[in-house]
Structures are given as C-alpha cells and as structure tokens.
Amino acid sequence: MEFFEDCIIVFMSQLLFFAGGWWFFVKQLFKNYEIRHISVQLIFSLTFALSITMFELIIFEILGVLASSSRYFHWRLGLTLLLLMVIAVIPLYIFYSIIHSITFVSEKWVRIITMSCWVAFLYGLWRIGDPFPLLSVSHGILTIEQGVSRIGVIGVTVMAVLSGFGAVNCPYQSMTYFIRPVSQIDIITLERRLSLTVDMLTNKKKRMALEVHRRNKSHQTKTGLWNMLSSAVNRVDVGGENVTQLRMEIDGLEELLRHMFLEINYLKNMQERQKWSKTLQGRYFNVIGHFFSVYCLWKILICTVNIIFDRVGKKDPVTRGFEIAVHWCGFDIDLAFWNQHISFLLVGCIVVTSIRGLLLTLTKFFYRISSSKSSNIIVLILAQIMGMYFCSSVLLMRMNMPAEYRVIITQVLGNLHFNFYHRWFDVIFLVSALSTIIVLYLSQKPTNYGDSSLQ
C-alpha cells in the first residue's frame, strides 16, 4: 500500500511537470508559430517531465520523502525512460524529420535511411567510451550504467561550456565597471562619419557604373580582333577611370560601413546599459555581479588546482565548509540536522537556476535559428540537449550532497567513474571561461574611425 501511495505522488508530480513543459512549448517556443506537430509537443513535454523528475528525486533523497525502496524504483524507472528518449526516440524522430524534408528522397527510402542514421548514431555513441574511462562490455550493453556513462560525457561537456560562459558573462553584463562610458556626442560623431562614408560609397558606385556603361556602349561599335584588344585595355583603364581600383575602394568602403554600423549599435547598447545601471534593478544586479565575479575567480582557481593535482573532493563544499566553521568557532550544534537543511537549500538553488538558465538559453537559441519549416526539428534537438543536460546533472549534483544522501543514486548508477566526470567538467569549464574572457576582452578594444580612414 505504501508503494502504491508513493507511485501516486511521483505520478501526480510528473503530470504537473508535463503540463509545465506543454505550457512552455506553447507559450514560449511556439508563440510566434502556427505550425506544430502534436508528436513533437508530446516528446518535448515528456522529456521535460522526466528531466525535472530527476531533480525531484534528489530533493526527496535529502528530505527523506517516500520509502527507500520506492525511491530506488523510481530512480531506475525515470533514468531508464529518460535514456530511452535521448538514445532511441528523439534521435530516430530527428533523423526521420530531416530525411523526410528532403524532397528528392522517395518514401520507400526514408525509413531505410533513417534506421541507417540511427544505427550510426548508436555506434558513435558507443565509441565515445574508447578515449574516456567509461564502463566496458563486461558490465553489460543494455544497462543504465552504460547509457548514463556515455550520455554523461556529452551532457557534462554542454554543462561545463554553459557554466564557463555564464560565470564570466553574468558579471560582465551586470557590473557597471564593464560598461563603456558613451556620450551622445560620440554617437552623433560616428553617425556623421557613417553618412559621409555612405556618400562616398554612392559616388564611387555611380562613377563605376558610368564607366562600365560607357565601355559597353563603345564595345557595340567595335568588332573582330579590334574588339578583343580594346576589351583587354578597357579592363584596366576606361575613360581615365581605373575600374579595378574603384572596385577595391568600394569593397573597402562597404567593409568599413559594416563595421561602423556595428559600432553605432554597440555604442547605443552601451548607452542603454548606462541608463539601466542607474535604476534600482541595475544597482541590484551590480552588487550581484560582484559576488559572481568573486565566484568566477574562485571557480577558475579551484578548477586549475583540481586539474594540476588531479584531485576531486570527497565531501560536498557545503558540508566541508560548515564543519570547518563549527570546528573553528566552537559552536555546539547538530551537524546532521543542519547539513540536511543547508543541503536542501543548496540543491534547491541549483535546481531552480539550472532549469531557469537552460530554458532561457533554449528560448534564445530557438528564436535565433528557427523558422516555420525547421522549428519542429530544432525543438527535437533542444529536447535532446535538455535530456542529456539533466541526465548529466545527476552525476555532478551527487557531489553537492552529503554522503548519506548519495547511497541510492550510487546504487542506481553502479560502477561509474564519478571522479572522471568532475575532472572533465573542470577542464571544459576552465577552457570555456578563459575563452569567454579572451573574447570579451578583444570585443572591448575601442575602434577608431578617424578621418584618415575615409580618404
């Protein structure tokens, strides 16, 4: 009876998660599109529900909700269904949708090519285990451990790239220190230079068009060998105008024009950020940005130390920090009691920020590259990324939980090399963060469009 009640609790929560995924699909992703397939909507919502269920079970582990045997059952069931979606259902549908959209492929070949692509995908997924210390065939092929071990490599890579970018970009976008001072005079000056460049470009294009027209008109009166010789001469110089030189100047002015447009847009964005930074919300995010900058530097330092000394923490940071504080301050408090509550708050914050961050990223990515024809395929790809992302989150969030709450997760995931995933995350995070710093630094270099460039 207790197991049946636990199943009802999990099933009802999954229905709520499914409804949330359905609402996000309709109101956010497809709010500007009328064409949608119900099967795509079902797959996205189901993947979303199974992904959030993983986080729900982690919170249940900390709070002790449900019986231990029930949590173990739903862990295995949820991971099995999520792996089935990201390894079989979604890739098959993606390949089918892409191949079916190709007009010259006949219907009888669509299924054959789809199955061939899916088999190639499975082979490539399995071969991921060659360069990495993943499980061997002796542990079984069709097991949760094998699926998570290989999906985890891709998912952890995606998480590390997004985390490294976010850790640097968040303080950069929030702190007033990184806002370039821009006055209205700067914008007006650059707009005048832009107008001058447009006039020069228009003038040169008119001159070249007149010369080409004059050359074509003169060609109509010449025939035979004389025409060939005249054409060779006119390619270089026609009526005193060097057409080749004009083309080079026009190309240079068009490139300059493009950069000036981008610079004006950049200056106006900076001007808007200046106004926003003076608001209450801007001041708040400025304070938050300072905390994130400290976190970013600390994370880069810790990742570097972990990589150099090849180490992985045995305890989660909260438990270790809490024990050190209690030991040095000499407080007489119940560590087990407070560890549970602090771990719950930490995991809750990670869950909320992970879900919010991923959904915002998916929405921005979808709006940038989607169209009425490709939107369904892109949603399937986003569902695939989302499933791998949350599946990998379980591997990394395990370290943020005290040892007593990791027991069932460790039993379900089996003999995975957990330390490898944490080291891999550190490496990719460090590369992503440093690359973002370099890109942002280079983008901050001022661009001077002096009068000499317009001569």
Side-chain angles (χ1 to χ4, degrees), residues 338-368:
W338 285 105
N339 273 341
Q340 181 185 24
H341 288 75
I342 295 176
S343 298
F344 169 72
L345 292 175
L346 174 66
V347 172
C349 292
I350 294 175
V351 169
V352 173
T353 54
S354 297
I355 295 172
R356 179 181 178 274
L358 183 64
L359 293 181
L360 288 175
T361 303
L362 294 182
T363 304
K364 293 178 182 178
F365 183 77
F366 180 80
Y367 285 152
R368 283 182 180 272

Side-chain angles (χ1 to χ4, degrees), residues 163 166-168 171 288-302 425 429:
S163 299
V168 176
I288 296 298
H290 283 80
F291 284 106
F292 271 105
S293 62
V294 174
Y295 166 77
C296 177
L297 294 175
W298 174 82
K299 186 66 176 176
I300 291 176
L301 176 63
I302 292 298
F425 179 90
F429 176 90

Side-chain angles (χ1 to χ4, degrees), residues 133-194:
L134 304 184
L135 297 178
S136 62
V137 185
S138 60
H139 291 82
I141 297 178
L142 301 176
T143 59
I144 291 178
E145 294 89 341
Q146 294 287 8
V148 173
S149 66
R150 282 152 176 80
I151 292 296
V153 173
I154 304 173
V156 168
T157 303
V158 174
M159 290 180 63
V161 170
L162 294 177
S163 299
F165 172 77
V168 176
N169 188 63
C170 181
Y172 172 75
Q173 295 291 340
S174 303
M175 294 173 62
T176 56
Y177 176 80
F178 297 105
I179 298 179
R180 173 180 166 185
V182 177
S183 65
Q184 189 64 28
I185 297 177
D186 297 330
I187 298 177
I188 294 174
T189 302
L190 193 56
E191 286 178 342
R192 287 175 180 172
R193 292 176 180 173
L194 177 67

